[in-house]
Amino acid sequence: MSVTAAPLLEIVDLVRHFPVRNAFGRRTGWIRAVDGVSLAVWPGETLGLVGESGCGKSTLGKTVMGIYTPTAGDIRFAGREIGHLPARERRAVAGDLQYVYQDPGASLDPRWKVVHSLHEPLKIHARLSRAEREREVGAILSAVGLPDAHLDLYPHELSGGQQRRVALARILTLRPRMVILDEPTSGLDVSVQASVLKLFRNLQEAFALTYVFISHDLAVVRAMCARIAVMYLGTIVELGETAAIFEQPRHPYTRSLLAAVPRIGGRRVTLDFALEGEPPNPRDVPSGCRFRTRCPLAQDVCAVEEPRLREVDGRRVACHFA
Amino acid sequence: MTELLSVRGLSVDFVTDGGVAQVLDGINLDVGPGEVVGLVGESGCGKTTLARAILGILPTGAARIRGGEVRFKGVDLLREDPAAVNDRVRGRAITFIPQDPYTSFSPVFPVQTQIMDLMKWKSPRADNGGGARSPFRRYPRERWRADREAVLETLRAVQIPEPTRALRRLPHEFSGGQRQRLMIAMALLPQPDLIIADEPTTSLDVTIQAQILRLLRALVKQRGVSVLFTTHDLGTAHEICDRVVVMYAGQEMEAAPATAFFARAAHPYTRRLLASVPSPGGEIRDIPGEVPSLIAPPSGCRFHPRCDYATAECREGRPAPRTLAPEHGVRCYHPVDAPIGADG
Amino acid sequence: MSAVLAPVLATHPDDVFELHPAERLRAPGPAHWLGTDRMGADVYSRLLFGARITILIGVIAVGASLLVGVPIGLVAGYYHGWFSDLLMRVSDVFLAVPQVVLAIAIAQTLGPSLPNVILALSATYWPWFARVVYAETRTLQKEVFVESTAALGASPWRLTALHVLPNIASPIIVRASIGMGFTILTAAALGFLGLGPPPPTPEWGRTIAESREFLPDAWWYATAPGLAIFLTVMGFNLLGDGLRDVLDPRLRRSRTAR
């Protein structure tokens, strides 16, 4: 990571709320899924976005991707504001900024042969002749390690791992600069997970990709990402170098999260695990610091004043006592 | 043997449209009294089928038991009178914690209705007299009171706040972690000898998972209940198990006490599996190849096509169980005698 | 099938529209397999020619309903807003009025004739398609492959025409098949009430109405077209059920995948 280079993606005070409606369609409240998030991603790096379900990490990814429109705040991609573009111009950005779903195999149309699915992005974004498209698709296909023979198959005729490779190839035909990976290993067996992670790494090298890696699995994030952002209830609580945060987490939530991860071969972590309760509903966010209802360090000030992210010990932490 | 549960040579086939899948191939498995045994394996390895075969809830149409026995307290459950198994064993001496706490409750009844309906038949105080079970049979008043007291007691034990009020609520008013606590309570209520837990923490977040694992282990140890815990997550197995059994493609490969398992596993598959857990240093090692089809599985040891140590004899026949150390058994012709991580 | 081949299969193709007063109301026999009607025409032959009209009504009415209902359903399903709400409320209004009553009203206003019957039936049947397509489109929109193709930068046109429509084709086809049965039944009802094509068209519903005066003596007169309606409607419903099984991609996938 070079500090002098401009960030590829810069998010400033991004907010995405979802209305909660009752049976008559009247709004009764807001789900504050993403509530004031700022971060930057530099070219070539992998930024990890970690947190438990409901913390807003997926909503953040989808808002950046343009699947949701931001309620407030800016998304700058390669120096250009993309959060509030008209639909047609926003669609053109998709060539540079891509999204991989948790189950990439499901992103293939079940009625389309692999070859059609792979040509589609090029038909949308590039004006290439058929022969040029075929050359491009062939190159990508071999990069993800699939034989040409698979082109004539339907998705259901492929194994899960092959479907995943096809779906990645489909995204890479556009030669994007940044790819958002949303829970790409959740639900996978460890041995499959290992091959998937390897593939991501090889592709990052081959195509000079920048990744945003959204995951709840801390062991995976630790292996893949140089920097991580830890989210809790729609905000970032800690952001910095992965090694430093794993070494010495400063936010009490990060500490609990790391303490819950089993360490194979070591002492059972559950013997010492102390965090009680479950995260509050994002519809009903506590005042002040969002973590205070479960925090062992909570004081009166935490209920009154929401801690801002501030520079502590070479990283940014949102806690009054960090 | 003093085992509580002892599975010997169990083979189960599934009839599918593509052919007959040999889902379990001569499985041996032991669970001792008060022991928490982890059944670890990747998806499709047959661990859920094994759990269901022990409970006797395999799908009747597709599944065929080809051979073997499931001895529980000395009685072969596969050959015992099904009515007797249903009355005394299933749901009473052996209970079940499902993977998905979201779909395991009916959404339209309060949890009290559903728990008391279970207790009507499966309470340790229930005497069904071996007769036919009629839904119209009365629930004796005194027993209902005693059972409800036990329910409240158990809900307190699994740390459900305000148990009396909680019972009146509908399942969707509980969070995923709370629902899994209810499931644990329901599995404990009949005072079983053995609980079969099928990936009970897979759908939970890591902090909730840590809470549930700690709670479950404390409760079963305190009550002396044995647990057979299936999981695909080695970390979870590490947290809860006294002993670990590894399955691959319908065969059990290795069984060892947890400490020995995570330090000196001997089967090449187990070692590759442990090595594929992402290391803090960022090194990632996968297992080349893919899990084989169970319709035409590899001969002999089913791991041989992906194994670095495979020789001709691995292809010819399945290795017999061999004991490396007390309690540490492996089914491999070429077990590796080295600490984990030593083989590069 | 038999409708298309009517002229060949019919034993007395000539007298479908002719009068043979001498042979009125003959019971079924070797000469007239299903007897004759009040005009002396062969019931069996009239039945076959009636089938042609019935099928014609069904095909055109269902086809027209498809052309109206499917685009409305797609538009309403794809966009989320007041306009799609409006479209669906309009179709709800149509669905809230019993189809037969509405069809009677339309046919009555426009006068009994074959095109008017078809118009009346199409006007009352399209909301069913709009509903099915709307619901299927909404479900499909949540599918990962649709969302991800949108994220790839595909235009709404491309998404709808190339991804959504082919994937909802099977429920539409099933609906159309069941709709054929439904439409034929309603057409027969209109004919029975005298709102169908005018005589001497051998329409089934009208034939039953004519036969009422001669019951119970000329039982074959009413039974034959009644059975024909029953079998045709039944046939299309069974076809619809069968198609549902054949076309369901989930069933097909599970058959081939494992």
Side-chain angles (χ1 to χ4, degrees), chain C residues 13 15 19 21 49 82 163 186 190 205 218 233 252:
Chain C
D15 43 304
L19 307 182
F49 278 89
W82 62 267
H163 292 283
T186 317
L190 289 178
V233 173
R252 193 171 24 174

Side-chain angles (χ1 to χ4, degrees), chain A residues 287-310:
Chain A
S287 67
C289 174
R290 286 150 203 253
F291 187 58
R292 70 173 163 85
T293 48
R294 302 167 77 195
C295 183
L297 306 178
Q299 304 284 330
D300 293 344
V301 60
C302 301
V304 186
E305 197 186 325
E306 180 164 4
R308 305 289 304 171
L309 269 180
R310 61 196 171 88

Side-chain angles (χ1 to χ4, degrees), chain B residues 294-310:
Chain B
L294 296 180
I295 291 170
S299 59
C301 172
R302 289 183 177 178
F303 186 60
H304 82 251
R306 302 171 77 185
C307 184
D308 298 335
Y309 302 84

Side-chain angles (χ1 to χ4, degrees), chain A residues 88 91 112 120 124, chain C residues 71 74-75 78-79 149 153-166:
Chain A
R88 188 178 296 270
R91 285 204 293 271
W112 280 32
E120 186 174 35
I124 296 171
Chain C
L74 278 176
V75 169
Y78 188 84
Y79 293 101
T149 309
S155 65
W157 263 108
R158 166 172 274 275
L159 267 184
T160 317
L162 299 180
H163 292 283
V164 175
L165 201 53

Side-chain angles (χ1 to χ4, degrees), chain A residues 146-177:
Chain A
L146 284 177
D148 282 351
H150 284 28
L151 284 174
D152 270 331
L153 299 177
Y154 285 97
H156 69 247
E157 295 171 297
L158 301 173
S159 74
Q162 291 165 339
Q163 284 181 17
R164 186 175 302 110
R165 282 165 198 269
V166 171
L168 289 175
R170 182 165 183 240
I171 276 161
L172 294 173
T173 50
L174 292 177
R175 308 272 176 172
R177 297 163 71 182

